[in-house]
Amino acid sequence: MRFDYHTHSTYSDGSFLWSMARAAEEAGFEGIGFADHCNVSPDSKQEGRKKAMGFNLDTTYDRRREGIDLVRDRFDIRVFDAVEMDYEPEDEAAIREFLDSAGFDYAIGSVHYLDDVNVHIQPYFERKPEAERRELVAQYFDKLVALAESELFDVAAHPDLFERTPALRGLATREQYERAAEAFADSRTVPEVNAGRALREYGEFHPNPTFLDVLAEYGVELTAGTDSHDPADVGPRKTALEETLAERGLEVVELDL
Ligand SMILES: [Zn+2]
Ligand SMILES: [Zn+2]
């Protein structure tokens, strides 16, 4: 695994560009991609959320680009100027327009919300009866398939993100995995193996082993990303990813950059 395509800097909820680049170099990566969170939805709720969280890459990407250039001068690894876009099917036109004008090295697309709530918010989902939670997981797969079919992105982030939330875990069906795998097999968008919670309480990568098996059956290629926000996570997550990929006999593909 030569490149870490998924990390975050202080331009969203991560650490300084230089500290992340140094960690990637020390971990033995040949390149690091900064995929800071970005949302261009015209929805007013998303506008408010961006202000509350301080996520504004849609307006600061030029400034970050200058920062990335400085970091490129300082380290002997490649540094990619990327983005992790929130994806909702109704925002496709806004996302397309933004990506066309911003000109990132590559774009990662993410389904982060169900019912307009971030899937990480366990208290919101645990209140719901199981039938409703199953329906929300079905909606997650509808969005994931739409993401693949939109052809907007190079990479699809953490393809089963809801699994890290106990109230939504284990509710996906074989049919849902197959539908997603079929969509990715037909798309330029490559799903990633994401280490974001593999060394934390959840203890699995995204996609989980069952979903990974289905993707392999359909011949879907994968990239990999540590999804590190802290430099201390880069090295251990690289090691964990490489061990898992080797155990499962999986090879990741590199983006054409
Ligand atoms: Zn994400
Ligand atoms: Zn991320």
Side-chain angles (χ1 to χ4, degrees):
M1 181 182 167
R2 295 199 300 153
F3 303 111
D4 184 354
Y5 290 117
H6 189 155
T7 71
H8 294 272
S9 80
T10 45
Y11 282 83
S12 60
D13 54 353
S15 304
F16 293 125
L17 291 166
W18 57 265
S19 68
M20 296 300 288
R22 174 183 292 157
E25 189 174 62
E26 285 175 359
F29 278 118
E30 293 175 39
I32 180 173
F34 289 106
D36 281 304
H37 292 288
C38 188
N39 183 298
V40 294
S41 170
D43 183 271
S44 59
K45 202 177 260 177
Q46 285 293 356
E47 275 297 325
R49 200 173 270 147
K50 272 154 63 176
K51 284 174 185 150
M53 297 182 79
F55 288 179
N56 50 19
L57 196 74
D58 54 326
T59 59
T60 58
Y61 68 90
D62 255 335
R63 189 183 173 116
R64 193 191 66 167
R65 195 161 285 166
E66 288 175 38
I68 286 174
D69 277 339
L70 294 171
V71 169
R72 282 179 178 140
D73 292 342
R74 217 170 129 180
F75 295 93
D76 284 333
I77 59 171
R78 296 182 70 190
V79 184
F80 305 117
D81 173 16
V83 65
E84 180 179 5
M85 298 291 301
D86 286 330
Y87 172 82
E88 293 291 332
E90 63 268 26
D91 296 334
E92 277 185 18
I95 293 169
R96 182 169 286 112
E97 191 186 345
F98 173 70
L99 289 177
D100 283 350
S101 71
F104 294 105
D105 292 334
Y106 60 92
I108 300 180
S110 296
V111 178
H112 284 131
Y113 297 94
L114 280 173
D115 233 9
D116 232 357
V117 175
N118 195 301
V119 298
H120 293 96
I121 313 292
Q122 164 76 3
Y124 177 81
F125 295 103
E126 73 186 357
R127 287 198 300 266
K128 296 189 173 293
E130 188 180 320
E132 234 176 281
R133 288 183 276 127
R134 284 189 186 279
E135 174 51 31
L136 287 166
V137 168
Q139 284 174 24
Y140 179 93
F141 279 95
D142 287 344
K143 291 186 193 186
L144 187 66
V145 166
L147 183 156
E149 289 176 347
S150 76
E151 303 283 356
L152 283 167
F153 306 104
D154 302 277
V155 176
H158 39 60
D160 58 359
L161 185 70
F162 62 88
E163 288 282 349
R164 64 172 65 173
T165 304
L168 299 172
R169 189 172 301 160
L171 300 179
T173 64
R174 166 104 200 161
E175 290 67 34
Q176 287 163 344
Y177 289 144
E178 287 182 347
R179 221 180 120 222
E182 225 169 285
F184 283 122
D186 286 344
S187 172
R188 78 176 182 100
T189 305
V190 182
E192 70 169 3
V193 184
N194 178 296
R197 287 294 182 280
L199 302 177
R200 302 228 180 133
E201 65 291 349
Y202 173 41
E204 292 284 359
F205 297 87
H206 301 288
N208 71 14
T210 314
F211 195 2
L212 267 179
D213 284 343
V214 176
L215 290 166
E217 275 171 42
Y218 280 75
V220 175
E221 296 185 316
L222 300 158
T223 65
T226 66
D227 205 351
S228 296
H229 295 64
D230 184 316
D233 287 330
V234 178
R237 289 182 184 186
K238 177 178 192 278
T239 305
L241 270 167
E242 286 175 340
E243 282 172 6
T244 294
L245 292 168
E247 268 168 31
R248 301 186 64 91
L250 290 171
E251 287 208 23
V252 286
V253 293
E254 293 179 0
L255 302 177
D256 186 15
L257 301 167

